[in-house]
Structures are given as structure tokens and as C-alpha cells.
Amino acid sequence: MAENLVLDPVTRIEGHLRVEAVVENGKITDAWATGTLYRGVETVLQGRRPEDAFYVTQRICGVCPTSHGHASSMAVESAYGIKIPNGARLVRNIYECAENLHSHILWFYILAALDYVNPAKALTANISDTIDLAKAAGTGISDFAAVQERVLALVQSGDMSVFSNGWWGIDPVAHPEEADELYNPDMPAELHLIGVAHYLEALEMQAEAARVMALLGGKFPHGMTSVAGGTAWVPDSTKLDDVLYRVKRVAAWVDGTMIPDVLAIAPFYTAALEFGGGCGKFLSFGLFNDADLDMNSRYFPAGYIDVDNGLKVDTVDTSKIKEYVKHAWYTSPSGLHPQHGETQAISSWNDSTFDLDGQYTWAKAPRYDEKPAEVGPLSRMLVGYLSAGADPAIKGIIDFALGELGVDDPTLLVSLLGRVAARVLETKLIADQTIAYIVELVEAVKTGEAKTFAEYDSHDGEGAGFWEAPRGALAHFVNVKNGRIENYNVVTPSTWDMSPRDDNGVRGPLEEALVGTPIDDIERPIMAARVARSFDP
């Protein structure tokens, strides 16, 4: 018998998401993803100066504002024919690296970890055994006794706060066995304690990455410096010393804690290699510019993979992007390229407006070559893994992780566990690359080749900025007429991944990833929540 499953809201994400699914014989057979918040930034920007978009579009997100700022500046630079100088390129790369470090650490520990680590079980851990396990796993050793005391104090106060798991309707202290069934009962209490301890450390590490962004951007979130033409932040030795110290601190923690943590926890969730894969099509616009500023020569390469056509990377053709709105709450024409896309929202909304057979979301449905495409760290890592010219470190770290899991088939990365692991592994690569960019910028400062801004004249034109936010492929499109924005459009990673069905009825990537997900208890569908959160909506 078919049953309906509803997650509303999906918690521990940035934004507003509802998921509805049909469950038959213990598995999801159909699913719908609903973005429940209207963005409207495109409408706000009409008639403003093009440079205003840098400030306004950052307000789309409090976690990835830097990426929106960069994509917006790149769109204006494209419209005006501006080429930013090398110093600006390096500053932007470092700035973007810091945002990715902040976002990846925050996502893995603060948002996703509680799907895999049970704080209540950490109370039963033996401290001596915990230290031994941490040493064996090669992960960070904390004051585990103090962490246990902190969790116990929360329990005794009657307020477990974010550790309560109350969303699942279980008191993990009063009913530990029932709560433990949501996780893997074979995972030792000591590993749960390690996870909780590093959850608390992650709060400081993501803050340290945010401090780097504040140094480069003047504040965080919503920085002020990466404007069209380059950057208003001028590097010198003192500033770069401060940035390098903080980045090295984060990088050491990623090496010594974050990577070992995922390698220690993942073996208890290898069943997640068998579902959550999604549409099998992956898109990346590339991340971190080389000196030529070409999206095809970025550190993480641009590329498109359709697994149905084999494990090969095709060059991205941005003219193949279209947005469909048949199942979204818009009256705009469907199937437009986003350079000339329109954002005409329906005039009113009530309960009857929500119709799974009709319109059911505020998200449009972007398609590449008429197909849905997953974007994000898994896409970037797969494209890098399969691209001949990419940094060998990308392939090396994936092969290392597959070896640790005892897996020799890279297609198994197209799964829930693969998506989680890809983001953590990418964090290590980004941390190392941040240091490399800082060293490169130091040398540019020494040789007087660190110019950070290019003067320009405004004129009519249209342009696009293709970039990557931590969550995935991001594009801003601007049309300028008489010195003002005539039209603006943003296609975010979450729009790609959480898209509804398109005009042909084809599901979006999250919707497709949910199909086949096992559901043991429809009242506590933690697997569905894990799949949804793996995309970092």
C-alpha cells in the first residue's frame, strides 16, 4: 500500500524546503521538492545601476554571499569587456577558498553530522577507549571528558537544544535504543563522542574561515570589496600574514580531524552507496581562476558528465541552459535561456495554488541540453577526477578514499555516501589550494605585480558570470541599457538541484535522488532527510 511522506520543513539547511514523497514496500517511488520562499531579487534589481547587483545579490544567501558577489561582478565585467588584473584574481580566489572552507565545515558538522552521530549515545562512551579509538583513526584528540560533561549538563537541564533529535519524536536519553536505531547500532559510542567533540570544534574552525572573509571583504557575511573591475582590498605583507596564519590553522584541522572523521564514520554507512544517486548527470562551471580567467582552465575544471554516455567529460556549452516554469509559481514564458529569462511571479497564492500535478514550488527548473543536472562538490570532484588536465591531487584523493572504503568502482560515488564524502575530500583540496594562492600573491606583491583593479567605462551590453558556489554551479546574467539594469537573472545551485519537474515531466536531481531511498519508518524517515541534506539545499 502506498503511503505519503512529508518533510516540512526540511531542517538544518539554509533556506526553506519541503519534500513530499510516495512510499511503497519500504522505498520511495516518487518525490516532489518544493522551494517555499519567493526570492524576487531579479525584480528588485530592475532599473538599478549594474554595480548595485554586487551588494544586492549577496543577500540571496547568508552562507555563500561571496560567490554571488563574484558571479555578479563577473557578469558586469562580461557586459563591459573588463579583464581584472592578476592581483585581483588571486585575492578573489583566496576569498572564495575561505568561503568554501567555511561552508564545507559548517555543512558537514553543524548541518549534516547529527544525521550520523547521536550525541545521547556519546554519554555512554568510555573516555579511555575514546582516546584509543581517536589515535587509531588518526583523528583529533579533544578533551572528551569535558565534552561528555557538557552534553550531560544539557540532559540534566532538560534542554538538549540542537542535540535533542526532537524532530524525530524521540527522546534520545529516555529511549536510547529506539533513538539508536535511527543510526547504525554497530557504531561504537566512542565514535559518537568523537563526532560530538569535533562538532563543537567545528564551530570555531568555520568561524576562523569566516574571519578570513571578514579580513578580505571588510565584514562577513556580505562583503564589500570584490566589486566589478577587481577588488578594493589591497594586499600587503601584514594583511597576508594574518590571512595565512588563519588559513593554515583551518587547513591543519581539516587534515587532522575532518578527513579522518569521515573515513572513520563512513564504513558504518556503506549501505548509502546503494541509493541517493540522482539523475546521473553532472555540471560544473569550474572554480578558482587561472591567469587567463578562462572557465575551461580553472583549478576545478568546468565540464558536463552524462553517466548514461560513459564516464567522460564534455565541454560546457552555456547556450544549452534553459529554465522551465510549468510546475513553478510563475507566469513567465517557459524554456527561456536565462540571459533573457523572466521572473513574473503569480499574482496571489493560497492553499489551492499548491498542486503536485500542477504548480508546486518557487524554484524554476534549469536544464542543460534539455536534461536535469546535479551540481555541487560531487559534480566538481567527478569532473576533476575524469578531466585529463586537472590537478592530479583531485584524482589522488578520490582514489585514496575509495581504497579506504574498499571500493574500486568510482561510479559508486554517485550515491548518498559519495555526495557526502566528495564534499569533505574537496575541503582538503581547497585548504591546500588556499595556501598556494596566498604564496602566489605574496610573490606578486614582492614583484609589484599585484594590481587589484581595472578602470572601466560603462555602456550598454549584456554579460554573464559563470562560477561555483560551495553548493555548486552558479550563474548571474545581466542586460544593461542606458546605464541601468534592464534585466537580471540568477540561476543558483539550489535551483539546479531542488528543481521541480520540467515541462516534459522529468524530475529534478533531488527528486530523482529520493526515488529508491529506503524508508523503514514513515514517521521517522531519516534516510530521506539524509538524502535531502546531502545536497545542502
Side-chain angles (χ1 to χ4, degrees), residues 299-314:
Y299 176 79
F300 287 104
Y304 173 73
I305 298 170
D306 185 341
V307 173
D308 292 339
N309 295 330
L311 292 178
K312 63 184 183 69
V313 179
D314 295 325

Side-chain angles (χ1 to χ4, degrees), residues 114-452:
L114 296 183
D115 286 342
Y116 305 93
V117 172
N118 179 0
K121 190 166 183 178
L123 291 174
T124 66
N126 178 278
I127 300 301
S128 178
D129 290 346
T130 303
I131 295 171
D132 289 344
L133 179 58
K135 289 178 179 178
T139 192
I141 297 176
S142 308
D143 189 343
F144 296 121
V147 172
Q148 220 174 32
E149 289 175 5
R150 288 181 66 178
V151 176
L152 180 61
L154 287 172
V155 171
Q156 292 174 337
S157 72
D159 180 13
M160 283 283 282
S161 186
V162 294
F163 295 155
S164 67
N165 284 317
W167 192 83
W168 301 112
I170 299 173
D171 182 336
V173 178
H175 304 285
E177 292 182 1
E178 188 177 359
D180 200 37
E181 287 299 322
L182 293 173
Y183 302 89
N184 183 328
D186 295 329
M187 185 166 149
E190 289 72 22
L191 190 50
H192 287 276
L193 179 55
I194 290 170
V196 173
H198 295 161
Y199 171 107
L200 297 171
E201 287 182 12
L203 295 170
E204 171 57 24
M205 288 300 111
Q206 57 92 23
E208 190 72 290
R211 292 182 190 109
V212 174
M213 286 185 281
L215 288 168
L216 274 66
K219 65 185 184 71
F220 178 79
H222 312 136
M224 306 293 286
T225 57
S226 291
V227 293
T231 174
W233 188 80
V234 180
D236 62 32
S237 59
T238 302
K239 295 175 183 177
L240 289 172
D241 277 348
D242 199 358
V243 170
L244 183 59
Y245 162 77
R246 297 176 189 282
V247 170
K248 282 188 171 181
R249 185 181 177 213
V250 175
W253 187 83
V254 169
D255 272 352
T257 297
M258 191 173 183
I259 297 295
D261 277 357
V262 76
L263 293 177
I265 294 172
F268 294 95
Y269 292 98
T270 52
L273 289 167
E274 300 170 5
F275 62 91
C279 61
K281 297 161 184 63
F282 300 92
L283 177 68
S284 170
F285 293 148
L287 182 61
F288 308 137
N289 274 323
D290 202 352
D292 61 9
L293 304 180
D294 187 329
M295 68 182 287
N296 291 306
S297 57
R298 289 170 173 167
Y299 176 79
F300 287 104
Y304 173 73
I305 298 170
D306 185 341
V307 173
D308 292 339
N309 295 330
L311 292 178
K312 63 184 183 69
V313 179
D314 295 325
T315 301
V316 174
D317 179 353
T318 58
S319 69
K320 292 183 177 181
I321 301 170
K322 293 181 181 179
E323 288 187 297
Y324 293 92
V325 297
K326 179 179 179 181
H327 291 283
W329 291 310
Y330 297 98
T331 59
S332 317
S334 199
L336 298 178
H337 187 278
Q339 186 71 62
H340 304 287
E342 298 179 15
T343 306
Q344 300 169 7
I346 59 174
S347 58
S348 61
W349 195 100
N350 55 51
D351 288 345
S352 64
T353 312
F354 179 78
D355 179 6
L356 294 181
D357 294 322
Q359 295 170 300
Y360 61 90
T361 180
W362 285 114
K364 297 178 183 179
R367 294 293 184 262
Y368 181 84
D369 198 18
E370 303 297 334
K371 299 173 184 176
E374 177 176 336
V375 302
L378 178 57
S379 298
R380 286 193 293 268
M381 294 290 277
L382 285 174
V383 170
Y385 184 80
L386 298 171
S387 295
D391 188 331
I394 300 174
K395 186 176 189 305
I397 198 168
I398 291 178
D399 284 338
F400 165 74
L402 291 173
E404 289 291 305
L405 289 172
V407 173
D408 57 7
D409 180 3
T411 61
L412 289 174
L413 290 171
V414 183
S415 62
L416 166 57
L417 184 57
R419 191 175 297 112
V420 173
R423 189 161 189 175
V424 176
L425 297 174
E426 185 184 66
T427 310
K428 155 70 175 168
L429 296 171
I430 291 173
D432 292 345
Q433 196 60 23
T434 314
I435 295 172
Y437 287 134
I438 295 171
V439 171
E440 190 178 351
L441 183 56
V442 168
E443 291 303 311
V445 170
K446 288 179 180 178
T447 59
E449 298 175 355
K451 183 181 177 183
T452 57

